[in-house]
Amino acid sequence: MTAWSLFTDLGWICALLLVGAFLRAKVPFIQSIFLPSSLIAGVLGLVLGPKMLGIIPFSSEISSYAGVLIAVVFAALPFTSKVASLKGVMRSVGTMWAVSQSAVVLQWGVGLLFALGVVSIFFSSVPDGFGLMIATGFMGGHGTAAAIAESFGDRWPEAASLGMTAATVGIIVSVVGGIILIKIESMRGNTVYLSHFKDLPRSLRTGMIEPEKRESIASSPVSSMSIDPMIYHAGVLFAIAGLSYVISDWAGSMVEGLNIPTFSVAFIVGYLVFGVMTKAGALRHFDTRLFERTSSSSTDLLVAFGIASIDPAIVVAYAGPLALLMVFGIVAMVGFYFFVAKRFFTDHKVEQSVFTWGWGTGTVAMGIALLRVVDPQMRSKTLDYYGLAYIPIGFGDIAFVALLPALIMAGLAWPAAITLTVAGVAILTAARLLRRKGAQSPDEVKVPAAVD
């Protein structure tokens, strides 16, 4: 990997983003399903990249770019969020945690139960740990697939291929299913910031704004004779992300097996920096809108790189039991969307539920991509809540990846499956009871009708 490899990867993906913007502006079908340019660019990168047609010579490192960029996105949240009160945030974070944590626990538990009790009837050769592939592929992704495979080692060498295949299916389900859900919700008038697809202004459908309707994106608080305002703001966020990686890496080196996600650390460090800048009165020297532009640009890049890095070759390697497991996982997540997420979230139900669908079936990057369709300006505060809620969830993820393969290899697949399923149901039950006993949340207010 050289500096020029990084530069050419960035150049190719930026070119594809421009192509995506052009296709969005010109192709009615793409407009009808409201695909962002970043998703289009990612698909084009996948098809034209070295793993399919081989036209674009991406380097082998493109799969790692999304993990770097998402740290920038979360580092920006403290500077761009418009949270009214800490009390309101914590209550919303509590709901986000309950829904997200139960989704994680139930994917591991119910996935195991389904494989042990149903899939094994039709395919007796599947190993006890086969049910882990739902959570490994859907809310885990390719990184979790690699970690699970390493945990099983020689005891189940096929786990790597199965996990990567499941992760690829999860990405596709996340994007296609998410767009379908958004379209259904907008048609029903349930979206706050997105009106009915058919009633959208031309600028929102095509992505192009006419000259007379354009607005300034920001005001520069610094003189360009000193420093460019874009790098002035981006420098703060990239510095936070870089420091967060150092902290995460240091923590992992101190405790064997500990893997704290860099983006969670970036969120915390970002708030610390934001607090210091607020206390020192330094925020008056910055423009929030330029922080937003840096975050949005990073999001576009991470979505495009994330999709372009998929390895489609392994998708055709396994069928049968994996197909049955994946269909069950999709049905389960659709049920979770309508009967759990939408019933638990009270502040921006659709926006937060769509994001939950995105990361629960694909990756956090996919969740962000779908959220940007239904909430282009990120006014629902969904990422603010998730950033805090993921801190305890992240530690749980580490435990699941580390312990579940060991428990299964020790012959404890059934007890693990039952325990996790009961735990997931218990989380939702407790959250429901607490909501019934408590008063209405301060930020639990009526939301305005969909805006054009």
Side-chain angles (χ1 to χ4, degrees):
M1 179 67 178
T2 66
W4 277 111
S5 297
L6 170 62
F7 189 78
T8 53
D9 286 344
L10 183 61
W12 279 114
I13 211 69
C14 286
L16 293 177
L17 283 167
L18 294 176
V19 172
F22 174 80
L23 293 175
R24 169 69 178 273
K26 297 296 182 180
V27 181
F29 172 73
I30 293 178
Q31 296 171 11
S32 68
I33 57 177
F34 221 69
L35 283 180
S37 299
S38 56
L39 291 181
I40 301 171
V43 172
L44 290 174
L46 173 62
V47 174
L48 300 176
K51 295 177 181 178
M52 291 190 72
L53 298 181
I55 297 175
I56 297 179
F58 284 124
S59 74
S60 60
E61 296 296 320
I62 64 168
S63 60
S64 64
Y65 296 157
V68 175
L69 291 163
I70 200 170
V72 178
V73 173
F74 276 82
L77 288 177
F79 298 89
T80 60
S81 63
K82 303 175 179 63
V83 178
S85 67
L86 181 60
K87 185 177 181 181
V89 171
M90 296 313 296
R91 291 193 178 186
S92 295
V93 168
T95 301
M96 177 64 77
W97 175 85
V99 173
S100 301
Q101 185 68 81
S102 63
V104 172
V105 174
L106 288 173
Q107 278 197 25
W108 290 113
V110 176
L112 273 174
L113 278 182
F114 183 76
L116 291 168
V118 178
V119 177
S120 61
I121 296 176
F122 300 97
F123 304 93
S124 58
S125 61
V126 297
D128 289 346
F130 186 75
L132 296 180
M133 292 302 107
I134 287 182
T136 297
F138 278 20
M139 65 89 192
H142 293 82
T144 299
I148 287 290
E150 184 177 353
S151 296
F152 277 110
D154 295 335
R155 296 285 295 273
W156 189 22
E158 296 84 3
S161 294
L162 290 171
M164 292 297 179
T165 302
T168 303
V169 172
I171 292 289
I172 297 171
V173 169
S174 178
V175 176
V176 176
I179 293 298
I180 292 174
L181 288 174
I182 291 172
K183 193 165 187 178
I184 291 173
E185 298 289 10
S186 67
M187 290 173 63
R188 293 178 176 178
N190 295 334
T191 51
V192 180
Y193 307 114
L194 176 68
S195 60
H196 195 292
F197 270 61
K198 293 187 296 184
D199 299 329
L200 286 174
R202 177 177 172 79
S203 61
L204 292 183
R205 288 186 290 107
T206 64
M208 295 293 159
I209 301 176
E210 297 299 325
E212 64 275 9
K213 297 182 179 179
R214 295 172 187 172
E215 298 179 356
S216 173
I217 63 172
S219 299
S220 176
V222 294
S223 170
S224 58
M225 292 290 288
S226 172
I227 186 173
D228 185 83
M230 287 298 297
I231 196 62
Y232 177 69
H233 289 76
V236 173
L237 304 185
F238 276 79
I240 292 172
L243 176 61
S244 300
Y245 173 78
V246 172
I247 295 173
S248 178
D249 186 60
W250 171 80
S253 67
M254 296 298 292
V255 181
E256 185 177 356
L258 180 63
N259 181 24
I260 302 176
T262 301
F263 77 83
S264 284
V265 179
F267 187 73
I268 297 173
V269 174
Y271 259 113
L272 293 175
V273 173
F274 178 77
V276 171
M277 292 174 67
T278 301
K279 192 72 174 178
L283 285 178
R284 64 190 181 91
H285 298 297
F286 294 87
D287 190 317
T288 299
R289 292 173 294 177
L290 284 175
F291 284 127
E292 292 174 346
R293 298 281 62 79
T294 303
S295 177
S296 296
S297 297
S298 298
T299 301
D300 282 338
L301 289 172
L302 79 86
V303 170
F305 275 126
I307 297 175
S309 65
I310 294 173
D311 186 354
I314 59 175
V315 176
V316 298
Y318 294 84
L322 188 59
L324 179 59
L325 191 69
M326 293 295 98
V327 170
F328 170 75
I330 294 169
V331 173
M333 284 305 298
V334 170
F336 191 88
Y337 174 89
F338 285 104
F339 300 110
V340 177
K342 285 193 66 179
R343 294 187 178 184
F344 272 77
F345 290 128
T346 56
D347 176 21
H348 296 87
K349 290 185 177 182
V350 171
E351 290 73 19
Q352 294 188 37
S353 296
V354 164
F355 172 74
T356 300
W357 165 273
W359 75 256
T361 54
T363 63
V364 175
M366 295 302 100
I368 294 173
L370 293 172
L371 181 62
R372 289 196 68 191
V373 175
V374 75
D375 180 14
Q377 300 301 319
M378 298 295 183
R379 288 176 286 180
S380 66
K381 300 177 289 187
T382 298
L383 290 184
D384 301 56
Y385 304 151
Y386 183 76
L388 286 173
Y390 186 81
I391 296 172
I393 294 173
F395 286 101
D397 286 343
I398 296 169
F400 293 139
V401 173
L403 297 178
L404 283 176
L407 291 173
I408 290 168
M409 288 186 288
L412 299 175
W414 274 103
I418 294 172
T419 301
L420 287 171
T421 302
V422 171
V425 174
I427 291 171
L428 292 176
T429 302
R432 175 67 73 179
L433 291 175
L434 289 173
R435 281 187 57 195
R436 288 178 178 177
K437 290 181 180 180
Q440 186 182 34
S441 171
D443 63 339
E444 191 174 316
V445 297
K446 292 184 179 181
V447 294
V451 296
D452 291 337

